[in-house]
Amino acid sequence: MAEGDKQVPNIQIPVEMLSSDGRFGCGPSKIRKEAIEALGEVSSTYMGTSHRQPTVKNMVGRVRDGLSQMFGAPEGYEVVLGNGGTTAFWEIATCCLVESHSQHLVFGEFSSKFASSVSAAPFLSDPQVIKSDPGTRPVAVSDPSVDLYGLTHNETSTGVAAPIARPEGSSGLVAVDATSAAGGIRVDLGETDIYYFAPQKCLASDGGLWLAFMSPAAIERGVRLSKSASDGRWVPEFLNLSVAIDNSRLNQTYNTPALATIMLLANQVEWINSNGGLEWSASRCDTSAANLYGWADKSEFATPFVADPADRSPVVGTIDFDDSVDAAVVAKVLRANGIVDTEPYRKLGRNQLRIAMFPAVEPSDVEALTGCIDYVVSKL
Ligand SMILES: *Cc1c(COP(=O)(O)O)cnc(C)c1O
């Protein structure tokens, strides 16, 4: 019998135990009901209108200003955006931000991908890759030959968060994949040159867009490399960072964006800012994480996968189950009860659940979820 055909035991979780919202997936992730309702309110005035006119450009402006406020962006840092999500940005960074030699910290599926893009580029030398086992994190090593360090703030496949700091004594640009961290984990942007992300995780919108805070040094590098036809590097227009920077300054994207994604993103950014900003949302994620890991620490059958408490992500929790409990069956029972996307990252191949605790998720819902897991396990 194929894995997907496993019988789901018929276990009904009492309604009063259920979380108020059943979405615990790591992306696309829970979007607040209020944001969807706000989208409904502009269904005929904003949706379906030109992205070259003020109605949409002002919305892009709200996103850029709101993000700068949320992150306390240092002087000269700009919010650049374009279509294609983080995966497109890896290719843009490969074409327009790595001068010749990069270093990458690899500790899971997502952090390996930028390194793979660079490895495949014929005009760059082989990147340095510093790797550690899933559930741990490597540390960058300052090297004068490295012109860009590729870090990941939160490795979504394993639930490991890494503190972000410039490698001591380094002069290279620091590029941070913050796709699942941005908006839920504190960061000092001054320690980064490129802090890039997509809006379908902590920022509770939909996929398909990439955004990046870029320092003046990163903008200089990006513009220079994307215009350097003379040194033989051809950059496809869609991946040309100068084009993206020019458009972003006009609150536009090079080609047509998904308007709903931009509106939902603006709504989430303003929701976080109106409640107290990044410190507020990060504290909210900390509370959720304390609920999840606190439960797992006490549980008879569950243990946090990430051994070092300092490395445990406050936004993506990975919880191992001992052999007596089949996590896949638990996830299926939860799903049948309306609690979805608690399955682990497929390629990690562990007997575990992975729980998103992004800012939109109520900390009390994380607590309710742990109660539901205990209930299901007691009935298996
Ligand atoms: C989800 C995720 C990605 C992929 O984002 P896309 O927008 O789907 O390309 C990349 N990096 C991290 C850390 C992620 O969590």
Side-chain angles (χ1 to χ4, degrees):
M1 198 159 59
E3 219 247 325
D5 300 329
K6 247 184 219 168
Q7 276 271 254
V8 185
N10 185 10
I11 299 170
Q12 204 110 51
I13 302 171
V15 182
E16 64 277 9
M17 289 186 73
L18 293 172
S19 49
S20 70
D21 193 289
R23 293 170 290 178
F24 292 97
C26 288
S29 63
K30 180 186 170 188
I31 300 176
R32 290 163 35 257
K33 187 165 126 283
E34 294 78 5
I36 299 283
E37 284 167 0
L39 190 60
E41 281 159 26
V42 297
S43 62
S44 61
T45 52
Y46 166 83
M47 290 302 293
T49 70
S50 170
H51 62 300
R52 303 293 181 213
Q53 295 299 326
T55 306
V56 173
K57 292 194 346 178
N58 291 344
M59 194 69 80
V60 174
R62 277 166 59 181
V63 167
R64 296 178 69 232
D65 293 345
L67 285 170
S68 298
Q69 184 191 331
M70 186 192 298
F71 285 88
E75 191 65 32
Y77 279 59
E78 296 184 39
V79 177
V80 182
L81 72 164
N83 286 310
T86 295
T87 301
F89 192 77
W90 285 321
E91 306 302 343
I92 292 170
T94 300
C95 290
C96 308
L97 286 167
V98 180
E99 189 110 39
S100 66
H101 192 42
S102 55
Q103 180 182 104
H104 302 261
L105 301 188
V106 172
F107 51 120
E109 207 41 39
F110 290 104
S111 49
S112 72
K113 297 214 168 146
F114 183 19
S116 304
S117 293
V118 170
S119 299
F123 48 86
L124 299 175
S125 61
D126 282 343
Q128 284 178 10
V129 173
I130 304 178
K131 211 171 164 172
S132 76
D133 289 337
T136 68
R137 63 179 178 85
V139 177
V141 178
S142 180
D143 180 326
S145 75
V146 167
D147 60 69
L148 182 141
Y149 295 86
L151 316 181
T152 301
H153 202 174
N154 188 71
E155 179 41 83
T156 320
S157 66
T158 64
V160 170
I164 296 302
R166 291 182 186 278
E168 209 160 321
S170 72
S171 58
L173 297 179
V174 174
V176 181
D177 177 356
T179 306
S180 59
I185 307 183
R186 295 164 192 85
V187 68
D188 174 0
L189 284 189
E191 296 289 327
T192 76
D193 293 292
I194 305 116
Y195 190 77
Y196 61 95
F197 46 93
Q200 71 274 23
K201 309 206 176 173
C202 288
L203 296 169
S205 178
D206 222 335
L209 199 69
W210 60 262
L211 299 109
F213 279 101
M214 293 182 62
S215 71
I219 291 169
E220 185 279 322
R221 167 94 59 94
V223 169
R224 183 163 48 79
L225 292 183
S226 48
K227 287 190 169 153
S228 63
S230 57
D231 81 353
R233 190 185 295 189
W234 169 72
V235 177
E237 199 71 347
F238 187 68
L239 304 180
N240 188 308
L241 193 51
S242 307
V243 171
I245 291 169
D246 289 346
N247 276 284
S248 300
R249 286 175 174 161
L250 299 171
N251 290 332
Q252 301 188 66
T253 46
Y254 172 58
N255 65 321
T256 316
L259 302 194
T261 300
I262 291 169
M263 158 93 197
L264 293 169
L265 170 58
N267 187 288
Q268 177 76 353
V269 166
E270 288 169 4
W271 176 68
I272 290 174
N273 284 344
S274 69
N275 277 295
L278 185 57
E279 180 51 41
W280 173 81
S281 58
S283 301
R284 187 170 153 91
C285 296
D286 288 344
T287 305
S288 291
N291 289 346
L292 183 72
Y293 298 125
W295 160 78
D297 276 333
K298 279 190 246 135
S299 169
E300 305 264 285
F301 59 87
T303 331
F305 165 53
V306 178
D308 185 344
D311 291 346
R312 287 177 196 157
S313 167
V315 289
V316 172
T318 43
I319 304 295
D320 274 351
F321 284 10
D322 71 30
D323 292 344
S324 63
V325 180
D326 185 342
V329 171
V330 174
K332 285 198 174 87
V333 173
L334 291 172
R335 185 173 286 281
N337 282 271
I339 295 175
V340 302
D341 301 340
T342 61
E343 291 82 5
Y345 191 77
R346 200 171 20 93
K347 286 191 203 156
L348 196 58
R350 295 188 70 89
N351 185 32
Q352 85 174 195
L353 296 184
R354 181 178 64 154
I355 314 294
M357 302 175 286
F358 297 145
V361 173
E362 295 296 333
S364 58
D365 274 353
V366 174
E367 198 175 4
L369 169 64
T370 62
C372 291
I373 296 170
D374 282 339
Y375 182 86
V376 170
V377 170
S378 74
K379 298 286 172 189
L380 282 176

